[in-house]
Amino acid sequence: MEPWQQTLIDDIHQITTSNVQAWGSIIQKLGIGETCLKEWTSTFKEEIQDVMGAIVEEVANKQLCLIEDIEKLLKQSELLCKQLSVQMPAFGVENLGLYNDKQALEDQVKELKDKVDLRMKEINELIRREVEVCKSLGRKAVKISDCPLPSSESIEKYTLKIEALENEKYLRDEKFTTLKQEIQQLALELQFKPSIEFERQILSANDVDFIVSDVNMKMLEDFHISMVNQVETVKAEVCALREKIKSLWEILDEDLQDCDVFLRRYPGNTLDTLEGLKLEVKRCEDLKKANIEVFIKKMRAEIIDLWNKCCLTEEERTYFDSFYDDLFTEDLLTLHDIEICKLKKEYENNKELYEMLQLREDLWSKLLELEERANAPNRYKNRGGQLLKEEKERNTLSKRIPKIEEKLYVLVENYQTQVGKPFSYWGETIDSVIKKSYETRQQDKKLKLSARKQQRVLTVTPGKSTMCVAGTSTMATPNILKATPLRNDNRSNRKGGLATPLFSNRKKSADKIKHMKSAPPKIQLNGMGITKLRYSSEKKKRVDRIRRLSKLIEVQKKKNADLDYNSFEKGMTSSCRSTIFANDCSDTPALAVPLIETPRKADFATTPRRTPRQKDMPASSKLTAAPGLKIIF
């Protein structure tokens, strides 16, 4: 028994005892009989029993109500746990009493209800979003099941699915806006007029009614592609028609003012412009057909120009037989038109190659011209550093031309890969053209070098040559001949060559002679004519001395003019000899005079200048003369 029960029993016993005693004293005072006392006592017990039973019954009813409430709460908790897909928690394990169990169950059920309400609210929001986005995308919404309520993982997956749909809708909206703007711009450029409801909806300013469904987006993309293709097609057609109209106008000799008015009337690349150009082409074609012969002749001139641009040989041009046909018909006109289009296409497709060839040819001609200047006799007569400029330009061309040739080889290889045949340049391959240009250049260099060597043998340089005076048979004109004393008479006669010059013991190369900046006049006597040359200014002093000696020789020559050849020969020493010009056509041989040695530069520096006389001439001087010698004034 619980302590509180014992306490209650004790309290009830005390209460009962005091009440029974009070009731009994009153009964005694009433003086009722024994029988009546028994009845009253029985009634008193029954009343107490009824009160106690009512109290117990009331408590039992309370217990039953609590049990019923607990059972209801347990059922609700079980249902909520099932909806939430969670396990039913344990109940009544701690024996807390019905009231405590009920309170715990009520709290648990309330918590579960809050979770269910929250999840239902979340699910309803997700369902609303799904319905809205699927409506915009033109799709059917697949709602999530709410009985039982989905788990957290399912809700998370469902949320990700809806977010993907919303992202797709956002991208489609953005794509729709972009494509619509581009389509409107293209339509404005073409002056396009919509013909169906979808096109009118796209070209309108209202974007609310458009559903970015799969079908609509596909139609939008197709519409955009068709507009882009249409714009490109119209541009190409308008450009081709304009070019064709201009060529037709040139052939028809149309008034330029009328042509300008027509072009201003149809600007841009609109559909109206395309239609107007087509009508103009038709008009010009009709007019051209009425003058077929004139147009064919003009077209033939254009074909010749294209042949020249494409570098075709006469043999390659003969493949177009219609060019030589004299029966002027519309078919012949069409054939010429097709040939012009074909040649233009051929030239445009290989324009870079033809331009590169022309550039190489121009640079090659410039290089040859610079090399020709470098070998010119008066190339050192320049001011402002022209030689340095030409040298830099020549070096630049020598480096640039091989690079262009490498590009040419690459372009020719690409052409052969695409066309399937080698590229022809005036009937030759590029390789043969380039090799032939180098071979021709090398041959020209060899020929010029050979000519310079031959001229160097016949040319006397001042300061290296000896001087001798010779005259014709009449001895009317004094000449200073190239003459050299022989180191050995027998050797010179045996070899038949010239001896070493008397005036110089050193040999100077022909290259130094080339670099003379300026020179006094020089006359070359070769039996065919007289050519004037010039010497370097650095030899001026020496040439002046030679001229003075020449004048003295002329004076001496006049003194001996009355002598005949025999007496003159007898008067000479045994060491002197005479020589006849090989190129002189005269019957009388020219006379040779003794050589006079030119003083060296050091002699002029140490001794005073004096005029040489006849007696100063060395007795052992030897006279020589060779064919084709030069005379120096």
Side-chain angles (χ1 to χ4, degrees):
M1 182 181 293
E2 296 292 334
W4 66 272
Q5 291 179 346
Q6 186 63 43
T7 301
L8 179 61
I9 291 172
D10 293 341
D11 292 341
I12 292 173
H13 178 72
Q14 185 178 357
I15 292 170
T16 303
T17 301
S18 61
N19 286 319
V20 169
Q21 288 176 356
W23 183 76
S25 64
I26 293 172
I27 290 299
Q28 281 181 341
K29 290 178 179 180
L30 291 176
I32 59 176
E34 187 69 24
T35 303
C36 186
L37 180 61
K38 288 181 179 180
E39 291 178 357
W40 281 39
T41 304
S42 177
T43 302
F44 185 82
K45 289 180 180 177
E46 289 178 357
E47 290 291 335
I48 292 174
Q49 187 65 36
D50 290 340
V51 171
M52 290 292 184
I55 292 173
V56 172
E57 185 179 0
E58 183 180 0
V59 172
N61 290 334
K62 284 284 187 182
Q63 182 181 3
L64 290 175
C65 290
L66 285 173
I67 291 172
E68 290 178 356
D69 292 341
I70 288 171
E71 288 178 352
K72 290 180 180 179
L73 291 172
L74 285 173
K75 289 181 179 179
Q76 289 181 3
S77 177
E78 183 180 3
L79 180 62
L80 292 173
C81 289
K82 186 181 291 186
Q83 286 182 344
L84 294 172
S85 300
V86 296
Q87 188 177 1
M88 180 73 179
F91 177 74
V93 179
E94 299 178 357
N95 296 322
L96 299 177
L98 295 177
Y99 274 109
N100 294 331
D101 290 340
K102 179 184 178 182
Q103 187 64 38
L105 280 173
E106 286 178 350
D107 294 340
Q108 181 179 344
V109 168
K110 184 177 181 302
E111 183 180 356
L112 292 173
K113 280 185 177 180
D114 291 341
K115 289 183 178 180
V116 169
D117 292 340
L118 181 62
R119 186 164 295 182
M120 284 297 299
K121 184 177 180 181
E122 184 180 1
I123 291 172
N124 290 331
E125 178 64 20
L126 291 175
I127 291 173
R128 183 193 65 79
R129 289 169 58 187
E130 183 187 15
V131 171
E132 182 179 352
V133 71
C134 287
K135 182 180 179 181
S136 300
L137 293 172
R139 299 177 184 174
K140 185 178 180 180
V142 182
K143 299 180 182 179
I144 191 172
S145 176
D146 57 353
C147 186
L149 291 177
S151 62
S152 300
E153 292 79 5
S154 300
I155 292 177
E156 185 177 358
K157 291 180 180 179
Y158 187 57
T159 303
L160 293 175
K161 174 187 174 182
I162 294 174
E163 289 178 353
L165 291 174
E166 290 176 345
N167 188 37
E168 183 179 359
K169 178 183 178 297
Y170 172 77
L171 294 176
R172 288 191 177 187
D173 289 337
E174 187 176 6
K175 185 176 182 180
F176 165 73
T177 304
T178 303
L179 291 179
K180 181 176 180 179
Q181 291 178 354
E182 293 180 1
I183 290 172
Q184 288 177 344
Q185 184 66 28
L186 294 172
L188 180 63
E189 184 178 351
L190 283 176
Q191 295 183 1
F192 177 80
K193 296 178 181 179
S195 57
I196 60 176
E197 182 62 28
F198 180 79
E199 294 176 353
R200 284 191 286 271
Q201 184 180 6
I202 297 300
L203 296 176
S204 65
N206 187 13
D207 297 340
V208 179
D209 299 334
F210 188 81
I211 299 175
V212 288
S213 62
D214 297 338
V215 177
N216 288 343
M217 291 303 295
K218 182 67 170 57
M219 294 176 64
L220 180 66
E221 291 175 357
D222 294 341
F223 185 34
H224 177 262
I225 293 173
S226 66
M227 290 295 293
V228 171
N229 294 335
Q230 191 172 3
V231 167
E232 292 178 354
T233 303
V234 170
K235 282 184 179 180
E237 290 183 1
V238 167
C239 183
L241 288 174
R242 283 199 175 107
E243 292 295 328
K244 190 171 184 179
I245 287 173
K246 288 179 180 179
S247 63
L248 290 173
W249 282 346
E250 291 179 0
I251 295 173
L252 296 172
D253 292 332
E254 291 287 332
D255 187 6
L256 295 178
Q257 186 174 0
D258 295 339
C259 297
D260 188 54
V261 171
F262 177 83
L263 293 176
R264 286 200 302 268
R265 187 188 306 164
Y266 295 102
N269 299 303
T270 64
L271 296 175
D272 295 338
T273 300
L274 179 63
E275 189 64 27
L277 292 176
K278 287 181 178 179
L279 293 175
E280 179 65 14
V281 168
K282 186 178 181 303
R283 183 189 72 83
C284 294
E285 290 287 349
D286 294 339
L287 187 59
K288 186 175 70 171
K289 290 178 181 179
N291 300 273
I292 292 177
E293 182 177 356
V294 176
F295 296 136
I296 289 178
K297 290 182 178 179
K298 290 185 178 180
M299 293 172 74
R300 286 178 175 175
E302 186 176 357
I303 288 174
I304 292 174
D305 183 58
L306 290 171
W307 279 344
N308 294 331
K309 285 184 177 180
C310 295
C311 306
L312 300 181
T313 60
E314 293 296 333
E315 183 179 357
E316 292 173 332
R317 301 180 187 190
T318 55
Y319 75 94
F320 184 54
D321 299 335
S322 301
F323 186 84
Y324 309 98
D325 196 349
D326 294 335
L327 184 59
F328 302 103
T329 61
E330 293 184 8
D331 294 338
L332 186 63
L333 183 66
T334 304
L335 291 174
H336 280 70
D337 194 8
I338 293 173
E339 183 66 17
I340 288 175
C341 295
K342 178 183 176 182
L343 290 173
K344 285 183 178 179
K345 184 178 180 180
E346 175 70 17
Y347 180 76
E348 289 298 327
N349 292 339
N350 304 290
K351 187 176 182 179
E352 183 181 3
L353 183 54
Y354 289 118
E355 291 179 351
M356 195 70 68
L357 282 168
Q358 185 61 40
L359 177 60
R360 194 262 177 191
E361 185 176 348
D362 295 339
L363 296 179
W364 185 261
S365 300
K366 185 65 176 177
L367 179 62
L368 295 180
E369 181 183 351
L370 292 174
E371 290 180 349
E372 186 69 23
R373 291 183 188 175
N375 297 325
N378 57 348
R379 65 186 299 261
Y380 291 103
K381 291 183 61 178
N382 71 93
R383 294 180 179 271
Q386 184 64 26
L387 290 178
L388 182 59
K389 293 179 182 178
E390 291 181 0
E391 184 65 22
K392 289 182 178 179
E393 187 176 1
R394 185 163 58 252
N395 293 334
T396 302
L397 292 175
S398 300
K399 296 177 181 178
R400 187 179 178 188
I401 290 176
K403 295 181 180 179
I404 294 176
E405 291 172 354
E406 291 179 2
K407 293 181 181 178
L408 279 174
Y409 285 126
V410 173
L411 293 174
V412 168
E413 185 177 355
N414 295 336
Y415 174 86
Q416 188 170 356
T417 302
Q418 296 174 1
V419 181
K421 63 178 183 179
F423 181 78
S424 176
Y425 181 72
W426 296 113
E428 298 182 9
T429 61
I430 299 300
D431 189 29
S432 63
V433 170
I434 294 175
K435 286 183 179 178
K436 186 179 292 184
S437 63
Y438 279 103
E439 290 175 358
T440 305
R441 176 191 180 193
Q442 192 66 22
Q443 290 177 0
D444 291 343
K445 284 185 176 180
K446 289 181 179 179
L447 291 175
K448 292 178 181 178
L449 181 61
S450 177
R452 284 198 299 270
K453 287 182 178 179
Q454 185 176 1
Q455 185 179 6
R456 195 179 302 134
V457 173
L458 302 178
T459 304
V460 178
T461 304
K464 277 192 173 184
S465 62
T466 58
M467 305 301 300
C468 66
V469 180
T472 60
S473 57
T474 57
M475 300 184 67
T477 305
N479 297 311
I480 300 176
L481 304 178
K482 176 180 177 182
T484 57
L486 299 176
R487 293 191 300 267
N488 190 311
D489 292 342
N490 297 330
R491 181 185 299 179
S492 63
N493 292 331
R494 187 167 55 246
K495 292 184 178 181
L498 296 176
T500 304
L502 178 64
F503 288 170
S504 176
N505 294 326
R506 297 173 302 172
K507 292 185 178 180
K508 294 185 179 180
S509 63
D511 294 335
K512 293 184 178 180
I513 300 173
K514 287 183 181 179
H515 291 77
M516 292 187 298
K517 298 181 179 179
S518 62
K522 185 167 60 175
I523 297 179
Q524 178 180 359
L525 182 62
N526 54 12
M528 300 297 293
I530 297 177
T531 303
K532 287 189 177 181
L533 301 175
R534 300 190 64 86
Y535 283 94
S536 172
S537 58
E538 297 176 356
K539 308 297 181 177
K540 186 176 181 181
K541 294 181 180 180
R542 186 173 297 173
V543 172
D544 291 339
R545 291 194 295 272
I546 293 172
R547 287 178 178 174
R548 288 193 294 271
L549 293 175
S550 177
K551 291 179 180 179
L552 293 174
I553 293 172
E554 290 179 6
V555 173
Q556 182 64 31
K557 190 175 179 181
K558 290 180 180 180
K559 294 181 181 180
N560 300 331
D562 54 345
L563 299 176
D564 57 0
Y565 182 79
N566 294 327
S567 61
F568 178 79
E569 188 177 23
K570 291 178 180 179
M572 299 298 293
T573 60
S574 60
S575 61
C576 295
R577 64 184 177 87
S578 61
T579 309
I580 301 176
F581 288 103
N583 293 333
D584 193 357
C585 300
S586 176
D587 296 332
T588 306
L591 299 179
V593 297
L595 292 175
I596 301 174
E597 184 178 1
T598 305
R600 296 183 181 179
K601 185 175 182 180
D603 298 335
F604 281 99
T606 56
T607 59
R609 184 176 299 178
R610 62 187 180 87
T611 303
R613 300 177 183 177
Q614 183 69 25
K615 63 181 180 178
D616 296 328
M617 296 181 184
S620 61
S621 298
K622 299 180 181 180
L623 297 176
T624 61
L629 295 180
K630 292 186 177 179
I631 299 176
I632 303 173
F633 290 106

